[in-house]
């Protein structure tokens, strides 16, 4: 994380994704207390730097899940 020059908002979102697993945009806005536009920008920067992945949300197909790229895969029960 230190080798890439990220704005503070992107660092905050990355920390939330490292700790919280896969989260939606709405959840990231709520947890970070950042504006929705700021969260979108932070997610774009993280995707451009290949630090997060987008996943399909099976609970609500209208929303995308964002996940830290190096997080371990947990098998479904």
């Amino acid at each position: 994380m230190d080798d890439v020059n990220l704005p503070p908002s992107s660092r905050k979102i990355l920390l939330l994704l490292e700790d919280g697993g896969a989260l939606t945009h709405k959840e990231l806005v709520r947890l970070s207390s950042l504006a929705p536009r700021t969260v979108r920008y932070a997610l774009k920067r993280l995707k451009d730097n290949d630090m997060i992945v987008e996943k399909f949300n099976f609970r609500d197909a209208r929303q995308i899940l964002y996940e830290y790229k190096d997080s371990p895969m947990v098998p479904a029960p």
Side-chain angles (χ1 to χ4, degrees), residues 9-59:
S9 59
S10 294
R11 290 182 186 276
K12 187 172 192 174
I13 296 299
L14 188 61
L15 287 173
L16 285 171
L17 291 173
E18 283 178 333
D19 294 340
L23 299 169
T24 65
H25 178 267
K26 191 181 277 188
E27 292 169 329
L28 288 167
V29 169
R30 183 176 48 83
L31 292 171
S32 68
S33 300
L34 296 171
R37 183 176 178 178
T38 304
V39 173
R40 274 193 304 275
Y41 175 74
L43 289 168
K44 181 184 180 325
R45 291 288 305 260
L46 293 170
K47 282 191 303 186
D48 289 347
N49 286 303
D50 203 29
M51 300 176 89
I52 63 171
V53 292
E54 291 182 349
K55 298 176 84 176
F56 183 76
N57 186 352
F58 289 101
R59 291 187 179 171

